[in-house]
Amino acid sequence: MTVEATIEGLFREEWGQIVATLIRMTGDWDLAEECAQDAFAQALQRWPADGIPPGPGAWLTTTSRNRAIDRLRRAAVGAAKLRELAARPVPPAADPVEEPGDDRLRLMFTCCHPALPFEARVALALRTLAGLTTAEIARAFLVPEDTMSKRLTRAKDKIRKAGIPFRVPPPELLPDRLNAVLGVVYLLFNEGYAASGGAELIRRGLSDEAIRLGRLLVRLMPGEPEATGLLALMVLHDARRAARLEAGELVPLEEQDRSLWRHDRIQDAVALLDGALLQGRAGPYQVQAAIAACHASAPSFEETPWIEIAALYGRLEGLMPSPIVRLNRAIAVGMRDPARGLALLDTLSYDLRGHHLVPAARADLLRRQGRLPEAAVAYRQALALAPTEPERRYLARRLRQISPDGLSV
């Protein structure tokens, strides 16, 4: 592995912890991000010649911390700020569920303070916890990058001006943060499970971190079925990770080697879901987990219970209306009735314009109907819009399989 690849991996693994530590130290969100970025830039400059230091994560944390102290010393208010930091007691863990020094959990709850608009909470946490770029977060929310940049700036200003504390709230305040916190963990997992851009489809460090945070949330709120449902959902998806790529190529569900799935983890997740469903009315994360369980428990792709899955997506749409939910329902319907599935996809063209999943789904259903020239057109449309290299390679392979002209227009 090259030094650059090692640093890229460390960015995925360590970014959230470094930024969270600096925010706790300085109280300055922008300073924390800038100093963390400086530390990684220094690593890129120095490590190729000096070698990777022992404990590279600690090196990055120390370098970013020293950079923050240096910046504060040079600032006009630096002396006063340093005196304030020196006098500030080390904050105790706000709840015994927290692991020692787990600033990431505090950061997540700070980002999700109810004084912030919901979408700003989620976006800010993705930026600071996962190190996603503004462009990546904008794609996740289907908004322009400039809109997301302004949203992030306003959220940071609100935290600073309102003096929102950097801590896990007491139990009686947890329900006010629940929806946003679960949304943060879910989007964090999704970015790791299926990256919104770049050369890698899977960013393992992000999905692992999301599952770790999900387990902490279940311990923090053991009576909250949606927290348990989210954890089950993430574990069910993650159990299939080893089969989703082969030699860097995306392997669709239909072609995955199910012997590579972690069936022990699938059983654990189904048990979690069953326990959550016994606690009351199913919320959106429990319904999504039920859909994932249908896929993960099917002995083969041909035995997938598509009618049940389509019905669950219909139920999910009633809980959280979304064009992505409608897209998935259309796909599930189309697996049993391709013509009806295509008709449902036609209603999504405007809501998801510019998104590769609509033409990709259309191409697949057309291929299953044997309408290969039309499928080739749709595959080319999807290929032009796909955000990651593994997805582009998969679509190009499908196109070559059905079109004698291959990738030509």
Short mmCIF file of all heavy atoms in Angstrom, two decimals, residues 33-99:
data_model
loop_
_atom_site.label_atom_id
_atom_site.label_comp_id
_atom_site.label_asym_id
_atom_site.label_seq_id
_atom_site.Cartn_x
_atom_site.Cartn_y
_atom_site.Cartn_z
N GLU A 33 -11.66 22.04 11.81
CA GLU A 33 -11.58 21.44 10.48
C GLU A 33 -10.32 21.88 9.75
O GLU A 33 -9.64 21.07 9.11
CB GLU A 33 -12.82 21.82 9.67
CG GLU A 33 -14.09 21.12 10.13
CD GLU A 33 -15.25 21.38 9.18
OE1 GLU A 33 -14.99 21.65 7.99
OE2 GLU A 33 -16.40 21.34 9.62
N GLU A 34 -9.98 23.17 9.84
CA GLU A 34 -8.81 23.67 9.13
C GLU A 34 -7.53 23.04 9.66
O GLU A 34 -6.63 22.68 8.88
CB GLU A 34 -8.74 25.20 9.26
CG GLU A 34 -9.84 25.92 8.49
CD GLU A 34 -9.97 27.38 8.90
OE1 GLU A 34 -9.10 27.85 9.66
OE2 GLU A 34 -10.93 28.03 8.46
N CYS A 35 -7.42 22.89 10.97
CA CYS A 35 -6.20 22.31 11.56
C CYS A 35 -6.10 20.82 11.27
O CYS A 35 -5.00 20.29 11.07
CB CYS A 35 -6.14 22.58 13.06
SG CYS A 35 -5.92 24.34 13.45
N ALA A 36 -7.23 20.14 11.23
CA ALA A 36 -7.20 18.73 10.83
C ALA A 36 -6.75 18.59 9.38
O ALA A 36 -5.94 17.72 9.05
CB ALA A 36 -8.58 18.10 11.03
N GLN A 37 -7.26 19.46 8.51
CA GLN A 37 -6.83 19.44 7.12
C GLN A 37 -5.34 19.73 7.00
O GLN A 37 -4.62 19.08 6.21
CB GLN A 37 -7.63 20.47 6.31
CG GLN A 37 -9.09 20.08 6.11
CD GLN A 37 -9.92 21.22 5.56
OE1 GLN A 37 -9.48 22.37 5.48
NE2 GLN A 37 -11.15 20.92 5.17
N ASP A 38 -4.83 20.67 7.79
CA ASP A 38 -3.40 20.97 7.78
C ASP A 38 -2.56 19.76 8.18
O ASP A 38 -1.50 19.51 7.60
CB ASP A 38 -3.09 22.14 8.74
CG ASP A 38 -3.56 23.48 8.21
OD1 ASP A 38 -3.90 23.55 7.00
OD2 ASP A 38 -3.61 24.44 8.99
N ALA A 39 -3.03 19.02 9.17
CA ALA A 39 -2.28 17.84 9.63
C ALA A 39 -2.17 16.80 8.52
O ALA A 39 -1.11 16.22 8.30
CB ALA A 39 -2.95 17.24 10.87
N PHE A 40 -3.28 16.56 7.82
CA PHE A 40 -3.23 15.59 6.72
C PHE A 40 -2.36 16.09 5.58
O PHE A 40 -1.66 15.31 4.93
CB PHE A 40 -4.64 15.27 6.25
CG PHE A 40 -5.37 14.30 7.13
CD1 PHE A 40 -6.27 14.74 8.10
CD2 PHE A 40 -5.15 12.93 7.01
CE1 PHE A 40 -6.93 13.84 8.92
CE2 PHE A 40 -5.82 12.03 7.83
CZ PHE A 40 -6.70 12.48 8.79
N ALA A 41 -2.40 17.41 5.32
CA ALA A 41 -1.53 17.98 4.29
C ALA A 41 -0.06 17.80 4.65
O ALA A 41 0.78 17.47 3.79
CB ALA A 41 -1.86 19.46 4.09
N GLN A 42 0.28 18.01 5.93
CA GLN A 42 1.65 17.80 6.37
C GLN A 42 2.06 16.34 6.22
O GLN A 42 3.21 16.03 5.84
CB GLN A 42 1.82 18.22 7.83
CG GLN A 42 1.84 19.73 8.04
CD GLN A 42 2.26 20.08 9.46
OE1 GLN A 42 3.24 19.55 9.98
NE2 GLN A 42 1.51 20.98 10.09
N ALA A 43 1.15 15.44 6.50
CA ALA A 43 1.46 14.02 6.34
C ALA A 43 1.78 13.70 4.88
O ALA A 43 2.73 12.96 4.59
CB ALA A 43 0.28 13.17 6.83
N LEU A 44 1.00 14.27 3.96
CA LEU A 44 1.26 14.04 2.54
C LEU A 44 2.62 14.59 2.12
O LEU A 44 3.28 14.03 1.23
CB LEU A 44 0.15 14.69 1.70
CG LEU A 44 -1.19 13.95 1.67
CD1 LEU A 44 -2.27 14.81 1.02
CD2 LEU A 44 -1.06 12.62 0.92
N GLN A 45 3.05 15.67 2.75
CA GLN A 45 4.34 16.27 2.40
C GLN A 45 5.51 15.51 3.02
O GLN A 45 6.54 15.31 2.38
CB GLN A 45 4.38 17.73 2.87
CG GLN A 45 3.45 18.65 2.11
CD GLN A 45 3.45 20.06 2.70
OE1 GLN A 45 4.02 20.30 3.75
NE2 GLN A 45 2.79 20.98 2.00
N ARG A 46 5.35 15.06 4.27
CA ARG A 46 6.49 14.55 5.03
C ARG A 46 6.64 13.03 5.01
O ARG A 46 7.76 12.51 4.99
CB ARG A 46 6.40 15.04 6.47
CG ARG A 46 6.54 16.56 6.60
CD ARG A 46 6.27 17.07 8.00
NE ARG A 46 7.09 16.39 9.00
CZ ARG A 46 7.05 16.69 10.31
NH1 ARG A 46 6.21 17.62 10.74
NH2 ARG A 46 7.82 16.04 11.16
N TRP A 47 5.54 12.32 5.04
CA TRP A 47 5.64 10.87 5.19
C TRP A 47 6.29 10.16 4.01
O TRP A 47 6.99 9.16 4.22
CB TRP A 47 4.27 10.28 5.46
CG TRP A 47 3.71 10.64 6.81
CD1 TRP A 47 4.26 11.51 7.72
CD2 TRP A 47 2.51 10.15 7.41
NE1 TRP A 47 3.46 11.61 8.84
CE2 TRP A 47 2.38 10.78 8.68
CE3 TRP A 47 1.53 9.26 7.00
CZ2 TRP A 47 1.30 10.53 9.52
CZ3 TRP A 47 0.46 9.00 7.83
CH2 TRP A 47 0.35 9.63 9.08
N PRO A 48 6.10 10.62 2.75
CA PRO A 48 6.79 9.91 1.65
C PRO A 48 8.31 9.90 1.83
O PRO A 48 8.97 8.93 1.44
CB PRO A 48 6.37 10.72 0.42
CG PRO A 48 5.04 11.28 0.78
CD PRO A 48 5.15 11.63 2.23
N ALA A 49 8.87 10.95 2.42
CA ALA A 49 10.33 11.01 2.64
C ALA A 49 10.72 10.45 4.00
O ALA A 49 11.71 9.71 4.11
CB ALA A 49 10.81 12.45 2.50
N ASP A 50 9.96 10.78 5.03
CA ASP A 50 10.34 10.40 6.40
C ASP A 50 9.84 9.01 6.80
O ASP A 50 10.31 8.45 7.78
CB ASP A 50 9.79 11.42 7.40
CG ASP A 50 10.36 12.81 7.18
OD1 ASP A 50 11.36 12.93 6.44
OD2 ASP A 50 9.78 13.78 7.73
N GLY A 51 8.87 8.48 6.07
CA GLY A 51 8.26 7.23 6.46
C GLY A 51 7.05 7.46 7.35
O GLY A 51 6.91 8.51 7.99
N ILE A 52 6.15 6.48 7.38
CA ILE A 52 4.95 6.57 8.21
C ILE A 52 5.35 6.39 9.66
O ILE A 52 6.00 5.39 10.01
CB ILE A 52 3.92 5.51 7.80
CG1 ILE A 52 3.51 5.72 6.33
CG2 ILE A 52 2.69 5.56 8.70
CD1 ILE A 52 2.64 4.61 5.78
N PRO A 53 5.00 7.33 10.54
CA PRO A 53 5.41 7.22 11.94
C PRO A 53 4.66 6.10 12.66
O PRO A 53 3.56 5.71 12.23
CB PRO A 53 5.04 8.58 12.52
CG PRO A 53 3.89 9.03 11.69
CD PRO A 53 4.16 8.51 10.30
N PRO A 54 5.23 5.58 13.75
CA PRO A 54 4.46 4.65 14.57
C PRO A 54 3.29 5.40 15.19
O PRO A 54 3.41 6.55 15.61
CB PRO A 54 5.47 4.20 15.63
CG PRO A 54 6.51 5.26 15.65
CD PRO A 54 6.59 5.81 14.27
N GLY A 55 2.15 4.77 15.24
CA GLY A 55 0.96 5.46 15.76
C GLY A 55 0.58 6.64 14.88
O GLY A 55 0.52 7.77 15.36
N PRO A 56 0.30 6.42 13.57
CA PRO A 56 0.03 7.55 12.68
C PRO A 56 -1.20 8.36 13.08
O PRO A 56 -1.24 9.58 12.87
CB PRO A 56 -0.18 6.89 11.31
CG PRO A 56 -0.50 5.46 11.61
CD PRO A 56 0.24 5.14 12.86
N GLY A 57 -2.21 7.71 13.68
CA GLY A 57 -3.38 8.46 14.13
C GLY A 57 -3.03 9.44 15.23
O GLY A 57 -3.51 10.58 15.25
N ALA A 58 -2.18 9.00 16.17
CA ALA A 58 -1.74 9.89 17.24
C ALA A 58 -0.90 11.03 16.67
O ALA A 58 -1.00 12.17 17.15
CB ALA A 58 -0.94 9.10 18.27
N TRP A 59 -0.09 10.74 15.66
CA TRP A 59 0.72 11.79 15.02
C TRP A 59 -0.20 12.86 14.42
O TRP A 59 0.04 14.06 14.58
CB TRP A 59 1.59 11.17 13.93
CG TRP A 59 2.59 12.09 13.27
CD1 TRP A 59 3.90 12.22 13.58
CD2 TRP A 59 2.33 13.00 12.18
NE1 TRP A 59 4.49 13.17 12.76
CE2 TRP A 59 3.54 13.66 11.90
CE3 TRP A 59 1.20 13.34 11.44
CZ2 TRP A 59 3.67 14.62 10.89
CZ3 TRP A 59 1.30 14.30 10.44
CH2 TRP A 59 2.52 14.93 10.17
N LEU A 60 -1.23 12.43 13.72
CA LEU A 60 -2.15 13.39 13.10
C LEU A 60 -2.88 14.21 14.15
O LEU A 60 -3.06 15.42 14.00
CB LEU A 60 -3.16 12.64 12.23
CG LEU A 60 -2.59 12.03 10.94
CD1 LEU A 60 -3.55 10.99 10.38
CD2 LEU A 60 -2.32 13.12 9.90
N THR A 61 -3.31 13.56 15.24
CA THR A 61 -4.01 14.28 16.30
C THR A 61 -3.10 15.31 16.95
O THR A 61 -3.50 16.46 17.17
CB THR A 61 -4.52 13.29 17.36
OG1 THR A 61 -5.41 12.35 16.74
CG2 THR A 61 -5.27 14.01 18.47
N THR A 62 -1.86 14.91 17.26
CA THR A 62 -0.92 15.82 17.90
C THR A 62 -0.58 16.99 16.98
O THR A 62 -0.52 18.15 17.41
CB THR A 62 0.36 15.07 18.29
OG1 THR A 62 0.03 14.03 19.20
CG2 THR A 62 1.37 16.00 18.94
N THR A 63 -0.36 16.68 15.70
CA THR A 63 -0.02 17.73 14.74
C THR A 63 -1.15 18.73 14.60
O THR A 63 -0.93 19.95 14.57
CB THR A 63 0.32 17.11 13.38
OG1 THR A 63 1.42 16.22 13.52
CG2 THR A 63 0.66 18.18 12.35
N SER A 64 -2.38 18.24 14.51
CA SER A 64 -3.52 19.15 14.37
C SER A 64 -3.72 19.97 15.65
O SER A 64 -4.04 21.16 15.60
CB SER A 64 -4.78 18.36 14.03
OG SER A 64 -5.09 17.42 15.04
N ARG A 65 -3.52 19.33 16.81
CA ARG A 65 -3.64 20.04 18.08
C ARG A 65 -2.59 21.14 18.18
O ARG A 65 -2.90 22.28 18.58
CB ARG A 65 -3.49 19.06 19.24
CG ARG A 65 -3.56 19.71 20.62
CD ARG A 65 -3.35 18.66 21.71
NE ARG A 65 -3.39 19.26 23.04
CZ ARG A 65 -2.35 19.83 23.62
NH1 ARG A 65 -1.17 19.89 22.99
NH2 ARG A 65 -2.47 20.35 24.83
N ASN A 66 -1.35 20.83 17.83
CA ASN A 66 -0.29 21.85 17.88
C ASN A 66 -0.57 22.99 16.92
O ASN A 66 -0.29 24.16 17.22
CB ASN A 66 1.07 21.21 17.55
CG ASN A 66 1.54 20.27 18.65
OD1 ASN A 66 1.06 20.33 19.78
ND2 ASN A 66 2.48 19.40 18.32
N ARG A 67 -1.13 22.64 15.76
CA ARG A 67 -1.48 23.68 14.79
C ARG A 67 -2.57 24.59 15.35
O ARG A 67 -2.52 25.81 15.19
CB ARG A 67 -1.96 23.02 13.50
CG ARG A 67 -2.42 23.97 12.42
CD ARG A 67 -1.32 24.88 11.96
NE ARG A 67 -1.73 25.68 10.81
CZ ARG A 67 -1.16 26.82 10.45
NH1 ARG A 67 -0.12 27.29 11.15
NH2 ARG A 67 -1.59 27.48 9.41
N ALA A 68 -3.55 24.01 16.05
CA ALA A 68 -4.62 24.82 16.63
C ALA A 68 -4.08 25.76 17.70
O ALA A 68 -4.44 26.94 17.76
CB ALA A 68 -5.69 23.90 17.23
N ILE A 69 -3.19 25.24 18.56
CA ILE A 69 -2.59 26.09 19.60
C ILE A 69 -1.79 27.22 18.97
O ILE A 69 -1.87 28.38 19.41
CB ILE A 69 -1.70 25.23 20.52
CG1 ILE A 69 -2.59 24.27 21.34
CG2 ILE A 69 -0.86 26.11 21.45
CD1 ILE A 69 -1.80 23.26 22.14
N ASP A 70 -1.05 26.90 17.92
CA ASP A 70 -0.27 27.93 17.23
C ASP A 70 -1.17 28.99 16.63
O ASP A 70 -0.88 30.20 16.72
CB ASP A 70 0.59 27.27 16.16
CG ASP A 70 1.52 28.26 15.48
OD1 ASP A 70 2.34 28.88 16.18
OD2 ASP A 70 1.42 28.42 14.24
N ARG A 71 -2.27 28.57 16.03
CA ARG A 71 -3.21 29.54 15.44
C ARG A 71 -3.81 30.43 16.51
O ARG A 71 -3.97 31.65 16.31
CB ARG A 71 -4.31 28.77 14.70
CG ARG A 71 -3.88 28.10 13.41
CD ARG A 71 -3.94 29.05 12.22
NE ARG A 71 -5.29 29.55 12.03
CZ ARG A 71 -6.22 28.91 11.28
NH1 ARG A 71 -5.92 27.77 10.68
NH2 ARG A 71 -7.42 29.44 11.13
N LEU A 72 -4.14 29.86 17.65
CA LEU A 72 -4.73 30.65 18.73
C LEU A 72 -3.71 31.65 19.28
O LEU A 72 -4.07 32.78 19.63
CB LEU A 72 -5.23 29.73 19.84
CG LEU A 72 -6.50 28.92 19.51
CD1 LEU A 72 -6.77 27.90 20.60
CD2 LEU A 72 -7.71 29.84 19.34
N ARG A 73 -2.48 31.24 19.39
CA ARG A 73 -1.45 32.14 19.90
C ARG A 73 -1.25 33.34 18.99
O ARG A 73 -0.96 34.45 19.45
CB ARG A 73 -0.13 31.38 20.05
CG ARG A 73 -0.07 30.50 21.30
CD ARG A 73 1.18 29.68 21.32
NE ARG A 73 1.30 28.91 22.54
CZ ARG A 73 2.03 27.80 22.68
NH1 ARG A 73 2.73 27.35 21.64
NH2 ARG A 73 2.07 27.16 23.83
N ARG A 74 -1.39 33.11 17.70
CA ARG A 74 -1.18 34.20 16.74
C ARG A 74 -2.39 35.11 16.61
O ARG A 74 -2.26 36.24 16.15
CB ARG A 74 -0.84 33.61 15.37
CG ARG A 74 0.50 32.88 15.35
CD ARG A 74 0.81 32.38 13.96
NE ARG A 74 2.06 31.63 13.93
CZ ARG A 74 2.60 31.15 12.82
NH1 ARG A 74 1.99 31.34 11.65
NH2 ARG A 74 3.72 30.49 12.87
N ALA A 75 -3.56 34.60 16.99
CA ALA A 75 -4.78 35.40 16.85
C ALA A 75 -4.81 36.52 17.89
O ALA A 75 -4.21 36.42 18.96
CB ALA A 75 -6.01 34.51 17.01
N ALA A 76 -5.55 37.54 17.59
CA ALA A 76 -5.63 38.67 18.51
C ALA A 76 -6.23 38.26 19.85
O ALA A 76 -5.87 38.80 20.90
CB ALA A 76 -6.48 39.79 17.89
N VAL A 77 -7.13 37.30 19.82
CA VAL A 77 -7.76 36.84 21.07
C VAL A 77 -7.11 35.58 21.59
O VAL A 77 -7.62 34.93 22.49
CB VAL A 77 -9.28 36.60 20.85
CG1 VAL A 77 -9.98 37.88 20.49
CG2 VAL A 77 -9.51 35.52 19.79
N GLY A 78 -5.97 35.22 21.00
CA GLY A 78 -5.35 33.96 21.35
C GLY A 78 -5.01 33.84 22.81
O GLY A 78 -5.26 32.80 23.42
N ALA A 79 -4.42 34.86 23.39
CA ALA A 79 -3.99 34.76 24.79
C ALA A 79 -5.18 34.52 25.71
O ALA A 79 -5.14 33.65 26.59
CB ALA A 79 -3.26 36.04 25.19
N ALA A 80 -6.24 35.27 25.48
CA ALA A 80 -7.43 35.09 26.32
C ALA A 80 -8.03 33.71 26.12
O ALA A 80 -8.47 33.05 27.07
CB ALA A 80 -8.46 36.17 26.00
N LYS A 81 -8.04 33.25 24.88
CA LYS A 81 -8.61 31.95 24.60
C LYS A 81 -7.79 30.84 25.24
O LYS A 81 -8.33 29.88 25.80
CB LYS A 81 -8.68 31.72 23.08
CG LYS A 81 -9.39 30.44 22.67
CD LYS A 81 -10.87 30.50 22.99
CE LYS A 81 -11.61 29.30 22.47
NZ LYS A 81 -13.03 29.32 22.84
N LEU A 82 -6.46 30.96 25.19
CA LEU A 82 -5.61 29.95 25.79
C LEU A 82 -5.79 29.91 27.30
O LEU A 82 -5.79 28.84 27.91
CB LEU A 82 -4.14 30.23 25.42
CG LEU A 82 -3.75 29.87 23.98
CD1 LEU A 82 -2.37 30.43 23.67
CD2 LEU A 82 -3.76 28.37 23.78
N ARG A 83 -5.95 31.10 27.92
CA ARG A 83 -6.18 31.12 29.37
C ARG A 83 -7.51 30.44 29.69
O ARG A 83 -7.62 29.70 30.68
CB ARG A 83 -6.18 32.57 29.88
CG ARG A 83 -4.80 33.20 29.95
CD ARG A 83 -4.83 34.47 30.77
NE ARG A 83 -5.67 35.49 30.16
CZ ARG A 83 -5.24 36.38 29.27
NH1 ARG A 83 -3.97 36.36 28.86
NH2 ARG A 83 -6.05 37.28 28.77
N GLU A 84 -8.50 30.68 28.80
CA GLU A 84 -9.81 30.06 29.02
C GLU A 84 -9.71 28.54 28.91
O GLU A 84 -10.27 27.79 29.71
CB GLU A 84 -10.80 30.58 27.97
CG GLU A 84 -12.17 29.94 28.03
CD GLU A 84 -13.03 30.34 26.84
OE1 GLU A 84 -12.77 31.42 26.26
OE2 GLU A 84 -13.95 29.57 26.51
N LEU A 85 -8.94 28.06 27.91
CA LEU A 85 -8.77 26.62 27.74
C LEU A 85 -8.03 26.00 28.92
O LEU A 85 -8.36 24.92 29.38
CB LEU A 85 -8.02 26.33 26.44
CG LEU A 85 -8.78 26.58 25.14
CD1 LEU A 85 -7.84 26.40 23.95
CD2 LEU A 85 -9.96 25.63 25.02
N ALA A 86 -7.01 26.72 29.40
CA ALA A 86 -6.23 26.19 30.52
C ALA A 86 -7.07 26.08 31.78
O ALA A 86 -6.88 25.16 32.59
CB ALA A 86 -5.02 27.08 30.78
N ALA A 87 -8.01 27.01 31.95
CA ALA A 87 -8.83 27.02 33.16
C ALA A 87 -10.04 26.10 33.05
O ALA A 87 -10.68 25.78 34.05
CB ALA A 87 -9.31 28.44 33.45
N ARG A 88 -10.33 25.65 31.83
CA ARG A 88 -11.53 24.85 31.62
C ARG A 88 -11.30 23.43 32.14
O ARG A 88 -10.34 22.76 31.75
CB ARG A 88 -11.88 24.80 30.13
CG ARG A 88 -13.16 24.04 29.81
CD ARG A 88 -13.40 23.98 28.33
NE ARG A 88 -13.50 25.31 27.73
CZ ARG A 88 -13.55 25.52 26.41
NH1 ARG A 88 -13.47 24.52 25.59
NH2 ARG A 88 -13.65 26.74 25.94
N PRO A 89 -12.17 22.91 33.01
CA PRO A 89 -12.00 21.54 33.49
C PRO A 89 -12.29 20.54 32.38
O PRO A 89 -13.03 20.83 31.45
CB PRO A 89 -13.03 21.42 34.62
CG PRO A 89 -14.08 22.42 34.26
CD PRO A 89 -13.35 23.57 33.59
N VAL A 90 -11.69 19.38 32.47
CA VAL A 90 -11.98 18.32 31.51
C VAL A 90 -13.41 17.86 31.71
O VAL A 90 -13.80 17.50 32.83
CB VAL A 90 -11.02 17.13 31.70
CG1 VAL A 90 -11.38 16.00 30.74
CG2 VAL A 90 -9.58 17.58 31.50
N PRO A 91 -14.25 17.91 30.69
CA PRO A 91 -15.66 17.55 30.88
C PRO A 91 -15.81 16.08 31.20
O PRO A 91 -15.19 15.23 30.55
CB PRO A 91 -16.29 17.87 29.51
CG PRO A 91 -15.16 17.83 28.54
CD PRO A 91 -13.94 18.26 29.29
N PRO A 92 -16.62 15.74 32.20
CA PRO A 92 -16.84 14.33 32.50
C PRO A 92 -17.74 13.70 31.45
O PRO A 92 -18.45 14.39 30.72
CB PRO A 92 -17.56 14.38 33.85
CG PRO A 92 -18.28 15.69 33.83
CD PRO A 92 -17.39 16.65 33.07
N ALA A 93 -17.68 12.39 31.37
CA ALA A 93 -18.61 11.71 30.47
C ALA A 93 -20.03 11.98 30.94
O ALA A 93 -20.34 11.86 32.12
CB ALA A 93 -18.33 10.20 30.47
N ALA A 94 -20.90 12.34 30.01
CA ALA A 94 -22.25 12.73 30.39
C ALA A 94 -23.14 11.52 30.67
O ALA A 94 -24.19 11.66 31.25
CB ALA A 94 -22.88 13.57 29.27
N ASP A 95 -22.69 10.35 30.24
CA ASP A 95 -23.49 9.17 30.47
C ASP A 95 -22.55 7.98 30.51
O ASP A 95 -21.58 7.93 29.76
CB ASP A 95 -24.51 8.98 29.32
CG ASP A 95 -25.52 7.90 29.63
OD1 ASP A 95 -25.18 6.72 29.46
OD2 ASP A 95 -26.63 8.24 30.05
N PRO A 96 -22.79 6.98 31.36
CA PRO A 96 -21.88 5.84 31.45
C PRO A 96 -21.80 5.03 30.17
O PRO A 96 -20.90 4.22 30.02
CB PRO A 96 -22.48 5.00 32.59
CG PRO A 96 -23.90 5.45 32.72
CD PRO A 96 -23.89 6.90 32.35
N VAL A 97 -22.73 5.24 29.22
CA VAL A 97 -22.65 4.51 27.96
C VAL A 97 -21.47 4.97 27.13
O VAL A 97 -20.96 4.24 26.28
CB VAL A 97 -23.96 4.67 27.16
CG1 VAL A 97 -24.06 6.06 26.57
CG2 VAL A 97 -24.04 3.63 26.05
N GLU A 98 -21.01 6.19 27.33
CA GLU A 98 -19.93 6.72 26.52
C GLU A 98 -18.63 5.97 26.81
O GLU A 98 -18.30 5.66 27.94
CB GLU A 98 -19.70 8.21 26.80
CG GLU A 98 -20.79 9.10 26.27
CD GLU A 98 -20.39 10.54 26.37
OE1 GLU A 98 -19.51 10.96 25.60
OE2 GLU A 98 -20.94 11.25 27.22
N GLU A 99 -17.88 5.69 25.74
CA GLU A 99 -16.55 5.15 25.92
C GLU A 99 -15.63 6.28 26.34
O GLU A 99 -15.86 7.44 25.99
CB GLU A 99 -16.08 4.53 24.61
CG GLU A 99 -16.95 3.36 24.17
CD GLU A 99 -16.56 2.80 22.83
OE1 GLU A 99 -15.63 3.35 22.22
OE2 GLU A 99 -17.17 1.82 22.40
#
